[in-house]
Amino acid sequence: MDLALLETHLSDSGQPAYRARQVWEWAARGATGYDAMSNVPAVLREGLSANVPFSTLTVSEEQQAKDGTVKTLFRTHDGHPVEAVLMRYRDGRRSICVSSQSGCPLTCTFCATGAMQFGRNLTTSEILDQALHFRRLEEIDHGRAPKPRDTTHPSRGGASPLTNCVFMGMGEPLMNFDNVIAAARRLPDVGVTPRRTTISTVGWLPGLTRFIDDVDEPIRIALSLHAANPALRSQLMPVNDRYPLADVLAELHRYYELRRRKVYIEYVMLEGVNDTPRHAAELAAILDEKTFKVNLIPYNPTGMYGGSSRDAIAAFKHVLDRARIPATVRLTRGRDIAAACGQLAAPPRAAPV
Ligand code: SAH
């Protein structure tokens, strides 16, 4: 829902200021349309239906993987493709992976998104509409109809089927700083708290600096590191020439000192490229156990590299363990529908309809 348009439309209709908030809260709790908003006057609901599209995105394809992961391909009103993923875990957690841009202007060699055409930054509403889509999907799956907010019992009707959000879909979130942060600040209404929100970055320094200086919420930050060696990292991620890893790590230390929240390090395991015990030792040498936690990511095939074997990943982790750098191996989800990390890519912009 275009929140700016919503506000203009409501104030043009002479509505009190609280109305926009009321409508947004319905949407955030999984309402499927304006009709469901029982405490909004009927004439107003009609006006909204006619003037403010319920979502800024239209669904053009949706696939479900064997493990329950759902990948949705959306289009913006001007035809740009956007993909997002819902991951369902046995313990009840529901994690969404959202895009911040259509495509990505960076050209990390292992990532499918970098190979597709870059479209543009997504608006705050386009980011939030990805979350709202999955919120509605889960609401429908649970057979629950959303109820108006019960202010005397905030927990009632407010139990959220979504628990976590990662900005790990298409795009570099810190290149679209304002819209990403504005969206993250509204996610609690959808049920996802800042502590359960993670922004993943290649180390886009200007955005990282603003994040540290301007964002007080305890939103988590993750760095896509992938190689400790500068030459190798530049080869895998050309952005490293512009914002060298040493500068990025210095900034992340500053973040830790201010917030006392660990930084996650993402490291995709590419066979014979960055996955030997020597590479692990280089990684251990630039990290410390207090500030960082490493997530080793099995490579999801995008055609460019081979994925490291289980043994190679275990040997790599062993080196980190011995150096006391906390490390885990990321569970791969949705690989059979190309919904896993780095597999989000879509055909170029369709002609606007
Ligand atoms: N641009 C941001 C947000 C995207 S996050 C960033 O790079 O951090 C996407 C994550 O998936 C990153 O950690 C990225 O390095 C990782 N990734 C990319 N391609 C991958 C692939 N083919 N297999 C596994 N992980 C991949």
Side-chain angles (χ1 to χ4, degrees):
M1 178 181 302
D2 184 332
L3 296 168
L5 181 64
L6 174 71
E7 284 189 18
T8 331
H9 174 77
L10 290 174
S11 66
D12 288 355
S13 321
Q15 285 298 310
Y18 68 81
R19 208 53 105 182
R21 182 84 210 160
Q22 195 179 32
V23 170
W24 157 253
E25 279 178 357
W26 271 104
R29 274 173 289 120
T32 49
Y34 294 111
D35 279 352
M37 305 182 178
S38 55
N39 57 356
V40 176
V43 274
L44 198 58
R45 297 201 310 247
E46 275 166 35
L48 285 168
S49 302
N51 295 290
V52 186
F54 196 65
S55 177
T56 57
L57 303 174
T58 52
V59 175
S60 55
E61 252 177 73
E62 194 156 76
Q63 285 169 278
Q64 180 155 165
K66 292 193 209 87
D67 61 16
T69 301
V70 179
K71 179 174 81 166
T72 308
L73 169 65
F74 304 90
R75 297 264 170 198
T76 60
H77 70 92
D78 52 349
H80 290 291
V82 176
E83 282 186 320
V85 178
L86 166 70
M87 288 155 284
R88 299 163 160 143
Y89 296 93
R90 287 230 182 96
D91 62 7
R93 272 181 309 133
R94 296 285 179 270
S95 193
I96 53 170
C97 173
V98 298
S99 294
S100 54
Q101 301 179 312
S102 173
C104 184
L106 305 177
T107 50
C108 303
T109 54
F110 47 84
C111 180
T113 307
M116 69 177 271
Q117 200 185 331
F118 174 62
R120 61 165 171 79
N121 280 342
L122 299 181
T123 65
T124 303
S125 300
E126 287 165 344
I127 295 169
L128 286 168
D129 275 327
Q130 299 167 55
L132 294 187
H133 171 75
F134 291 125
R135 171 85 210 223
R136 289 192 290 271
L137 202 70
E138 286 301 83
E139 204 76 42
I140 292 161
D141 279 6
H142 285 78
R144 271 200 296 259
K147 298 177 184 63
R149 170 128 99 186
D150 182 341
T151 43
T152 50
H153 300 279
S155 60
R156 268 191 219 161
S160 170
L162 301 185
T163 55
N164 298 66
C165 178
V166 295
F167 284 84
M168 295 188 189
M170 292 174 166
E172 167 50 42
L174 294 185
M175 289 180 88
N176 185 14
F177 185 89
D178 292 313
N179 295 340
V180 163
I181 297 302
R185 286 188 168 137
R186 285 210 185 231
L187 282 175
D189 297 328
V190 188
V192 180
T193 62
R195 286 182 186 282
R196 289 175 166 168
T197 302
T198 301
I199 293 177
S200 177
T201 179
V202 297
W204 190 259
L205 262 187
L208 187 57
T209 299
R210 285 187 67 195
F211 179 80
I212 299 167
D213 292 337
D214 303 345
V215 179
D216 292 330
E217 291 86 348
I219 297 169
R220 194 180 287 285
I221 197 91
L223 172 70
S224 292
L225 198 154
H226 310 318
N229 175 290
L232 178 58
R233 188 165 192 264
S234 289
Q235 194 187 315
L236 298 175
M237 308 173 70
V239 69
N240 188 61
D241 287 332
R242 185 157 175 185
Y243 300 122
L245 183 58
D247 298 350
V248 174
L249 290 177
E251 210 46 3
L252 291 171
H253 276 113
R254 191 165 75 84
Y255 167 81
Y256 181 81
E257 290 311 318
L258 277 168
R259 303 266 182 274
R260 299 278 154 187
R261 293 215 79 203
K262 273 199 190 212
V263 172
Y264 284 3
I265 298 295
E266 295 161 276
Y267 195 102
V268 56
M269 299 293 291
L270 306 171
E271 183 175 30
V273 176
N274 67 351
D275 69 342
T276 67
R278 179 177 58 81
H279 293 114
E282 286 174 355
L283 180 63
I286 58 165
L287 301 180
D288 65 79
E289 63 193 276
K290 182 184 73 173
T291 319
F292 301 104
K293 179 175 190 283
V294 177
N295 226 229
L296 299 174
I297 311 175
Y299 177 64
N300 297 307
T302 60
M304 285 162 277
Y305 295 96
S308 306
S309 66
R310 276 173 163 229
D311 286 351
I313 297 177
F316 193 97
K317 182 175 178 303
H318 183 66
V319 174
L320 295 176
D321 289 345
R322 289 191 47 178
R324 297 187 191 286
I325 304 293
T328 51
V329 180
R330 181 179 287 177
L331 220 65
T332 297
R333 310 272 311 196
R335 214 191 246 186
D336 55 321
I337 54 164
C341 304
Q343 292 188 311
L344 300 187
R349 181 177 174 183
V353 275

